[in-house]
Amino acid sequence: MTDGAVQTRLMPQGQDVHVGESPLLFYAVGRDQLLSVPAEAAASFVEECRLMEMVVEEYQDALAELSVANSNYMALMMSARRDHRFLLDKEVLQGEIVAAQRKVEHKNQVLKNVIEPLTELSSETNKVMELIPIRRGGSRTEHFRLAYARSHIIRAFAEEIPLASGGANASESVLTGGRVDSDKLIRQMTDVRGQAKIKADFPWFEEWLKKDKETLDLFKWSEAINRNLSAKHEIVEGEEHHRDSYRVELSAEAQLMRWTSGASGLSGEFNPFTGKATLKADAKAELVLAEAKATLDYCTPAGGLMLACELPGQQTLDLGMIRSRTLMTIAGGVGASIAAELNLNVEMRQGKLQANGVQGELVRFGLPGEQRVILRENDNGSPDNTEAATGMAAFAGGQLEAIVGVQLEWKNPEEGHKFKPFAKTATGGAALAGIGGGANFGVRYENGKFRISAKVGFCFGFGAKGKVDFEVDASLLLEFVKWVAYQLKNIDYRRLFFIENDAFYAITGIVTMAAIDGKRLSTHLREDVSDIIDDLNRMFHVVNENIKSAAERGDLAERINSGEGIIKYATPDAKGVTIYWLMQTNTFDRFYPGNRDLEGWWEDPSIFGFMNDRKEAIMNVLRLVQSINEYRNVMQRVVPRVGETINWEDGEQIVEEFLGRGEQELPRPFSSHYAREFIHLRARLWEKSRVGMPIVRNDRQEYRSQRSISSYFSRACENSSQCIVKVQS
């Protein structure tokens, strides 16, 4: 954009007029004043307006470039290509990302240097001012111009010409019912036309007032800002609404947000309110510039974040990738701080997650999908004490008006390694209560729900401050159970220390009970973990000498034998207690019809054996075991109660003896040989579970052909996901 282009837009229209020949006149939005810039200062003033536009436009262009580079790289990494051309394309895209990140950092710093002299929003001493040029000529096009300047520059070059406000607040004096009232604007202009300053410096002002309103920028602005408001918030005819429900916002905070959002007419937009602004890299934004409000929808970090944990002995293992999808409604100064890519301080107020801007680093250099966070047991982390007080002066003291909703997502191997939501931000006072000290990430069970506490940086991007709670409601419970199952698998069934013991027992309990009775997982949620364990123990406490217990065990075997079901995602504890349940018998078990499994006999006939349907169910549970370490964990937990353990060799012996009951040393079809198959099963297990690969039966070829680590496990991924959170301002 050239100086001349800006000067042409800002200077009076008509004959060729050069900067310095005529004074400039502006309407100051929300100030009840005109600003007169003398001819000798016009060039300097235009340069200020040009600077204010340029720093925003160039920064937004840099954000857009980074977003495109990230998307192109992630599309390449998600593709099946791995040829020589792939390597060349990857190298090129890596270079583009690094260059774009550096450009964003540089352009953001330039923008912040312009913002830095501005005072707090609570102070009136130095603001960004929104200006509408009042030009001699008119135009029938939709085009009109918004300009921005800092008030300390305005004071140095311009003279204020007060307008009649009628005693109203400056930002209210031209509003009626929350809309800009063009009749009030006309009255203000008419009242000021007789002032000596206007007559002397702007002799064309009287004629300007006589032109059709549709041809003048000031009235094009008033119509456009009202349309922008109505287009977003259509009111059903006849429906009552509060007069302040939707209103044009003319405050200093709103002007600051419109400037940082590019309302000065980026890239030659004819109507600044119809332009598209990039408020944040890789974010989709819906803006209502009339209200100075926006709704942001974005995923962070780009490509995903690898969650890893450090085990005793300093061994670090990757658990899998997560990301957060954030929806945020922002307004005023908070919206401006986000548009300027400051970081966030998040806190709970009035039962809602709210945020304001804080100073911090903008760009974490690196490629999408390469960010990694390591969880450590008893990690005190680095306590976060730098809250909102560290924000830039321009954004301090503003309204804390950003309502936030976040869903936590994981890369599910069963869904094409795409991100799927498994938790969402909690509501009410329980949020932010769970995570202590500097801990990064933790799972607990509280008030009938699983909750995940995380530092805000996990959710809103690098450098964000604060902590947030996610919760798992009934609709997300199955996906959460899957996530836990794969975290266990990827760490080869070691202890997940970031999951509290009670929460782990609760997962085990509800999965086991769902496997036993075939009901939904959510039906087994209780207010307290102890209630879940009590319910489970009642199922295992006594093997009653009645046909009901035999029927229940038979039904369990039938459910397991008919398909994998929920037992596929069972913890080793749940598998162990399920096997224990299947091995219990009483005098009715041998006569219960469901235990005879005649259909299975025709498929695999045998004369000798004992409760072959039970044995088949036990084997089907064990066929879902993924490694030797999981197998030993399961054998340790062939016990009646969750939390109890025995030596894995003892558990193995108990299971082997049951599988061998009634068997004969005869070939099929004279004996079923489950004990022998049990030995074969142990022999075919992998030494270590396959990381990032789907959970499959270990008697399938798919199991034998799995790679040690999925090629998609650590790949950057970009996919759309179901939105399960809503935010309201």
Side-chain angles (χ1 to χ4, degrees):
M1 181 181 299
T2 64
D3 289 357
V6 176
Q7 293 165 8
T8 299
R9 292 186 209 166
L10 292 178
M11 295 300 294
Q13 293 180 338
Q15 299 179 352
D16 292 336
V17 179
H18 299 287
V19 171
E21 290 187 2
S22 300
L24 303 178
L25 186 64
F26 297 89
Y27 175 80
V29 174
R31 299 268 176 165
D32 281 339
Q33 62 186 25
L34 298 178
L35 296 175
S36 172
V37 181
E40 61 271 18
S44 297
F45 194 82
V46 166
E47 186 61 29
E48 163 71 2
C49 295
R50 177 181 178 277
L51 172 67
M52 295 292 282
E53 180 175 281
M54 180 184 67
V55 294
V56 172
E57 181 171 6
E58 291 187 351
Y59 174 55
Q60 290 197 352
D61 286 346
L63 285 175
E65 287 179 25
L66 177 58
S67 180
V68 170
N70 282 338
S71 292
N72 288 341
Y73 177 82
M74 286 185 281
L76 178 68
M77 297 306 294
M78 292 168 66
S79 72
R81 288 176 48 203
R82 287 302 179 270
D83 54 11
H84 177 65
R85 184 64 187 174
F86 166 84
L87 296 176
L88 293 177
D89 290 344
K90 181 181 178 183
E91 185 176 357
V92 170
L93 290 174
Q94 286 174 342
E96 290 179 0
I97 288 173
V98 171
Q101 288 171 336
R102 288 174 178 163
K103 185 174 181 180
V104 166
E105 186 178 52
H106 170 67
K107 296 300 182 182
N108 181 254
Q109 190 56 53
V110 173
L111 173 61
K112 288 178 180 177
N113 289 341
V114 173
I115 295 172
E116 197 72 55
L118 303 179
T119 54
E120 292 187 7
L121 287 167
S122 57
S123 169
E124 288 296 324
T125 56
N126 193 18
K127 303 283 189 189
V128 166
M129 292 181 64
E130 195 169 45
L131 309 172
I132 302 170
I134 295 180
R135 302 179 297 184
R136 184 174 185 174
S139 168
R140 289 287 179 183
T141 69
E142 187 186 353
H143 172 68
F144 67 93
R145 184 76 167 127
L146 281 179
Y148 292 88
R150 291 165 291 185
S151 57
H152 69 286
I153 301 295
I154 290 173
R155 284 194 300 272
F157 295 112
E159 180 180 342
E160 296 178 359
I161 302 174
L163 298 172
S165 65
N169 180 289
S171 64
E172 297 281 340
S173 60
V174 296
L175 298 181
T176 299
R179 270 65 172 167
V180 177
D181 191 328
S182 58
D183 291 336
K184 289 183 177 180
L185 282 175
I186 291 174
R187 284 198 294 272
Q188 284 189 330
M189 298 299 106
T190 302
D191 290 344
V192 81
R193 64 184 173 177
Q195 290 195 20
K197 182 70 176 176
I198 294 291
K199 287 187 173 183
D201 292 346
F202 308 100
W204 46 264
F205 192 82
E206 186 79 33
E207 291 299 317
W208 176 84
L209 272 174
K210 296 177 182 178
K211 293 181 181 293
D212 290 341
K213 290 191 298 180
E214 292 80 8
T215 69
L216 303 179
D217 283 5
L218 181 60
F219 301 104
K220 291 178 188 177
W221 163 79
S222 67
E223 290 301 314
I225 202 168
N226 288 338
R227 282 199 306 271
N228 179 257
L229 187 70
S230 299
K232 181 63 182 176
H233 302 297
E234 289 186 325
I235 300 172
V236 179
E237 188 173 351
E239 181 182 349
E240 292 188 5
H241 65 283
H242 193 277
R243 70 179 300 272
D244 292 327
S245 295
Y246 309 124
R247 52 182 292 110
V248 171
E249 180 59 62
L250 303 180
S251 67
E253 289 188 69
Q255 294 178 43
L256 182 66
M257 181 175 171
R258 283 196 284 267
W259 167 58
T260 53
S261 302
S264 54
L266 296 182
S267 304
E269 292 286 350
F270 282 123
N271 181 342
F273 297 110
T274 61
K276 294 181 180 179
T278 302
L279 294 194
K280 194 172 180 66
D282 297 312
K284 297 176 183 177
E286 277 190 30
L287 285 87
V288 188
L289 290 177
E291 280 188 304
K293 287 187 177 181
T295 300
L296 283 178
D297 182 355
Y298 65 101
C299 297
T300 192
L305 172 73
M306 179 59 74
L307 200 63
C309 66
E310 185 179 273
L311 301 176
Q314 304 301 304
Q315 182 186 14
T316 301
L317 296 177
D318 289 335
L319 294 164
M321 297 185 82
I322 62 172
R323 74 176 185 186
S324 66
R325 180 177 175 183
T326 301
L327 276 82
M328 186 184 311
T329 60
I330 53 178
V334 179
S337 68
I338 293 171
E341 277 286 4
L342 298 182
N343 289 312
L344 296 173
N345 173 65
V346 178
E347 57 184 283
M348 175 62 66
R349 289 198 176 188
Q350 298 176 339
K352 294 181 180 179
L353 281 179
Q354 300 189 15
N356 61 351
V358 296
Q359 187 67 283
E361 295 181 55
L362 171 64
V363 177
R364 170 174 281 186
F365 286 90
L367 300 173
E370 288 193 351
Q371 294 190 36
R372 190 168 182 247
V373 63
I374 300 176
L375 308 179
R376 295 178 173 86
E377 194 166 11
N378 302 320
D379 182 11
N380 289 324
S382 300
D384 245 335
N385 297 317
T386 51
E387 302 295 335
T390 62
M392 292 183 69
F395 306 120
Q399 296 175 341
L400 191 67
E401 195 172 343
I403 311 302
V404 184
V406 191
Q407 59 191 53
L408 198 58
E409 303 180 349
W410 74 296
K411 206 162 71 169
N412 186 336
E414 299 178 2
E415 300 288 342
H417 297 272
K418 302 294 179 63
F419 284 104
K420 294 262 294 179
F422 69 98
K424 63 182 181 180
T425 41
T427 56
L432 308 180
I435 191 168
N440 287 323
F441 193 83
V443 179
R444 69 188 189 282
Y445 189 83
E446 182 178 273
N447 299 327
K449 288 184 179 180
F450 293 98
R451 300 184 186 274
I452 302 172
S453 300
K455 283 195 172 181
V456 166
F458 279 32
C459 314
F460 308 124
F462 178 59
K465 311 297 180 184
K467 297 164 188 174
V468 63
D469 253 16
F470 298 92
E471 66 182 17
V472 179
D473 63 16
S475 66
L476 295 171
L477 190 53
L478 176 58
E479 199 67 31
F480 171 75
V481 167
K482 291 181 182 180
W483 173 73
V484 172
Y486 277 94
Q487 303 310 288
L488 284 167
K489 181 175 184 288
N490 292 338
I491 203 175
D492 198 22
Y493 301 93
R494 295 173 173 87
R495 178 173 172 264
L496 294 171
F497 56 77
F498 57 88
I499 300 181
E500 292 183 2
N501 286 339
D502 279 357
F504 191 81
Y505 293 152
I507 296 167
T508 297
I510 64 172
V511 170
T512 305
M513 287 188 285
I516 290 171
D517 62 17
K519 295 180 181 178
R520 295 170 60 91
L521 289 168
S522 57
T523 62
H524 300 292
L525 293 173
R526 298 293 182 267
E527 186 71 13
D528 192 75
V529 176
S530 62
D531 297 327
I532 295 175
I533 301 303
D534 287 346
D535 285 352
L536 181 60
N537 287 339
R538 273 191 287 271
M539 290 185 176
F540 293 131
H541 184 58
V542 176
V543 179
N544 296 315
E545 289 290 325
N546 60 45
I547 195 167
K548 181 181 178 182
S549 296
E552 288 175 351
R553 289 188 290 277
D555 291 344
L556 171 59
E558 186 175 347
R559 274 191 294 272
I560 293 174
N561 292 337
S562 64
E564 295 164 357
I566 193 62
I567 203 70
K568 177 178 180 179
Y569 308 109
T571 64
D573 305 61
K575 289 186 176 85
V577 294
T578 299
I579 290 172
Y580 177 88
W581 171 264
L582 288 166
M583 291 191 301
Q584 305 312 301
T585 62
N586 60 34
T587 56
F588 291 98
D589 281 284
R590 297 204 59 162
F591 303 104
Y592 178 66
N595 290 336
R596 296 175 186 175
D597 194 20
L598 296 178
E599 181 180 354
W601 188 91
W602 284 112
E603 294 174 358
D604 188 11
S606 61
I607 296 174
F608 296 100
F610 175 78
M611 297 198 175
N612 286 353
D613 66 318
R614 301 284 188 87
K615 294 179 181 180
E616 181 66 13
I618 290 170
M619 289 304 299
N620 278 329
V621 172
L622 293 173
R623 286 167 189 147
L624 291 168
V625 169
Q626 301 296 294
S627 70
I628 290 176
N629 200 43
E630 186 189 8
Y631 169 82
R632 290 174 177 170
N633 270 279
V634 172
M635 293 300 111
Q636 277 185 300
R637 291 160 174 82
V638 181
V639 291
R641 293 179 181 81
V642 172
E644 296 179 354
T645 59
I646 57 177
N647 292 330
W648 72 266
E649 294 94 340
D650 294 339
E652 182 181 66
Q653 183 177 350
I654 294 169
V655 174
E656 190 167 7
E657 287 177 355
F658 182 83
L659 293 174
R661 288 174 68 180
E663 303 290 335
Q664 302 291 325
E665 289 299 324
L666 296 170
R668 289 181 182 272
F670 301 103
S671 187
S672 56
H673 295 293
Y674 280 107
R676 182 177 299 176
E677 186 183 351
F678 184 51
I679 296 172
H680 294 325
L681 183 146
R682 294 192 305 242
R684 68 176 177 249
L685 290 174
W686 288 114
E687 184 70 28
K688 293 183 178 179
S689 58
R690 305 334 240 177
V691 177
M693 300 297 291
I695 296 172
V696 295
R697 284 170 55 118
N698 55 47
D699 60 345
R700 302 265 174 88
Q701 178 58 34
E702 185 182 356
Y703 177 80
R704 298 305 306 167
S705 62
Q706 285 187 338
R707 299 180 178 185
S708 58
I709 300 178
S710 168
S711 58
Y712 292 93
F713 181 62
S714 56
R715 281 190 197 178
C717 178
E718 183 180 44
N719 67 277
S720 58
S721 59
Q722 179 187 5
C723 181
I724 57 173
V725 294
K726 294 182 180 180
V727 291
Q728 296 179 344
S729 59

